[in-house]
């Protein structure tokens, strides 16, 4: 089975820089982390490869050049190939323009399953999976929390839609948008592999390769127009440690009553 995981690195909600002049997060200087839903997509793919070493796993992202090493780390973890799609001309792309760019790359590849996350920490549209499926003419389903069965011909999944659980069988190739409720663990690169040279299993792709028309990428190719962004900063809350005794229990009960939980 051939699996391609589409992942996104999102700004760490605790460590990011906002450019108030452009009204955008500065992704070049902000700390980026792997989106939780996408992490589960990769973790599931890695599990399949562990069970069946003949499974091909490729991980693809679109973002700034500083993501080259994180993408190579997927190879060091056991993936067969890592791809970074990066081009200054892609800056400002909304979900539709992003789906066009990713679809342009995917048309050149062979796969049975496309895995991605349903939502991201920096935007909850859930558009990417369905838009790619529409562009490529593939079956798709979102909000998946369990993949019960998967082979080259079909997949059986369970998903939560409008507070109801659905069990669905899809013919492959298909696009599966999963959620972090899968609760899968993605391991770390082993110490002996940290500095492994994996250049032959990595590709940097730009629009010189994909040749997506300029009118379909970046801000010009994005029909979504953001009227205003709001930066919400979390307040630092003082932590209090209590003893595991009657006095400590009384303090916890008092705190919960004070906050209206009891």
């Amino acid at each position: 089975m051939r699996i391609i995981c589409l992942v996104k690195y999102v700004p760490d909600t605790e460590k990011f820089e906002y450019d108030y002049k452009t009204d955008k997060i500065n992704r070049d200087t902000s700390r980026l982390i792997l989106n939780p839903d996408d992490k589960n997509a990769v973790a599931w793919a890695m599990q399949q490869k562990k069970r069946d070493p003949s499974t091909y796993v490729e991980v693809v992202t679109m973002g700034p050049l500083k993501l080259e090493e994180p993408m190579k780390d997927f190879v060091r973890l056991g993936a067969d190939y890592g791809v970074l799609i990066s081009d200054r001309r892609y800056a400002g792309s909304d979900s539709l323009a992003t789906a066009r760019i990713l679809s342009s790359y995917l048309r050149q590849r062979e796969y049975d399953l496309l895995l991605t996350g349903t939502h991201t920490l920096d935007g909850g549209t859930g558009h990417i999976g369905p838009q790619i499926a529409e562009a490529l003419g593939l079956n798709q389903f979102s909000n998946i929390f369990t993949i019960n069965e998967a082979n080259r011909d079909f997949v059986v999944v369970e998903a939560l839609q409008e507070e109801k659980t659905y069990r669905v069988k899809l013919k492959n190739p298909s696009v599966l948008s999963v959620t972090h409720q899968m609760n899968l663990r993605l391991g770390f690169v082993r110490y002996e592999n940290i500095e492994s040279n994996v250049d032959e299993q990595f590709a940097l792709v730009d629009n010189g390769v994909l040749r997506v028309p300029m009118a379909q990428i970046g801000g010009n190719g994005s029909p979504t127009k953001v009227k205003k962004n709001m930066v919400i900063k979390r307040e630092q809350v003082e932590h209090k440690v209590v003893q595991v005794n009657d006095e400590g229990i009384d303090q916890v009960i008092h705190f919960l009553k004070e906050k209206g939980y009891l």
Side-chain angles (χ1 to χ4, degrees):
M1 186 162 61
R2 295 180 66 87
I3 304 170
I4 297 181
C5 300
L6 306 173
V7 305
K8 183 178 183 181
Y9 279 84
V10 296
D12 186 338
T13 55
E14 300 292 339
K15 297 179 180 179
F16 68 90
E17 292 186 19
Y18 197 82
D19 189 333
Y20 288 91
K21 290 183 179 179
T22 61
D23 200 24
K24 295 177 182 177
I25 291 175
N26 189 330
R27 294 179 185 270
D28 288 326
T29 57
S30 295
R31 179 172 182 260
L32 301 180
I33 59 173
L34 182 59
N35 185 61
D37 283 12
D38 301 338
K39 181 183 289 187
N40 278 265
V42 178
W44 185 87
M46 292 299 194
Q47 283 186 358
Q48 303 315 298
K49 188 170 183 63
K50 187 174 182 179
R51 294 188 186 115
D52 180 4
S54 68
T55 300
Y56 174 87
V57 176
E58 179 176 326
V59 186
V60 180
T61 196
M62 180 174 146
L65 290 173
K66 70 177 184 177
L67 292 177
E68 180 174 338
E69 279 305 311
M71 292 306 294
K72 287 181 178 179
D73 278 344
F74 286 121
V75 178
R76 296 180 180 113
L77 269 172
D80 295 277
Y81 207 60
V83 178
L84 171 58
I85 300 174
S86 185
D87 196 308
R88 285 287 183 182
R89 290 169 286 190
Y90 295 157
S93 294
D94 67 359
S95 62
L96 179 59
T98 298
R100 289 188 188 120
I101 295 164
L102 292 172
S103 297
S104 178
Y105 171 76
L106 292 168
R107 287 190 183 96
Q108 307 171 19
R109 309 299 289 170
E110 294 182 5
Y111 49 83
D112 301 302
L113 275 180
L114 295 178
L115 294 180
T116 190
T118 298
H119 297 291
T120 60
L121 293 178
D122 62 346
T125 63
H127 289 170
I128 294 295
Q131 286 175 332
I132 288 174
E134 182 71 18
L136 300 177
L138 303 176
N139 295 318
Q140 70 87 23
F141 217 78
S142 300
N143 291 310
I144 294 168
F145 61 85
T146 301
I147 301 176
N148 299 109
E149 187 177 353
N151 55 52
R152 299 194 70 175
D153 298 318
F154 66 87
V155 290
V156 178
V157 303
E158 290 183 41
L160 187 65
Q161 301 279 1
E162 297 179 349
E163 299 183 356
K164 293 182 180 179
T165 298
Y166 292 86
R167 184 180 172 90
V168 183
K169 182 178 181 179
L170 299 170
K171 183 179 179 180
N172 287 332
S174 61
V175 182
L176 306 182
S177 301
V178 305
T179 66
H180 64 276
Q181 279 81 13
M182 292 183 78
N183 290 322
L184 299 179
R185 179 181 176 274
L186 182 63
F188 297 95
V189 177
R190 294 174 67 91
Y191 178 78
E192 59 267 28
N193 296 330
I194 289 177
E195 296 185 2
S196 298
N197 188 325
V198 295
D199 289 351
E200 292 186 358
Q201 295 169 269
F202 171 79
L204 178 62
V205 177
D206 62 14
N207 208 50
V209 175
L210 300 182
R211 299 185 180 279
V212 184
M214 293 298 295
Q216 296 181 13
I217 60 176
N220 292 333
S222 301
T224 305
K225 304 302 177 186
V226 179
K227 186 175 181 180
K228 184 181 180 181
N229 287 316
M230 295 181 65
V231 179
I232 301 175
K233 295 183 178 180
R234 296 181 179 180
E235 294 182 3
Q236 292 293 328
V237 179
E238 182 181 354
H239 295 274
K240 185 174 183 180
V241 178
V242 298
Q243 298 296 318
V244 185
N245 53 29
D246 290 342
E247 183 181 351
I249 293 172
D250 288 340
Q251 291 182 52
V252 172
I253 292 174
H254 176 74
F255 173 80
L256 294 175
K257 287 181 177 180
E258 190 178 62
K259 298 296 180 181
Y261 296 115
L262 293 179

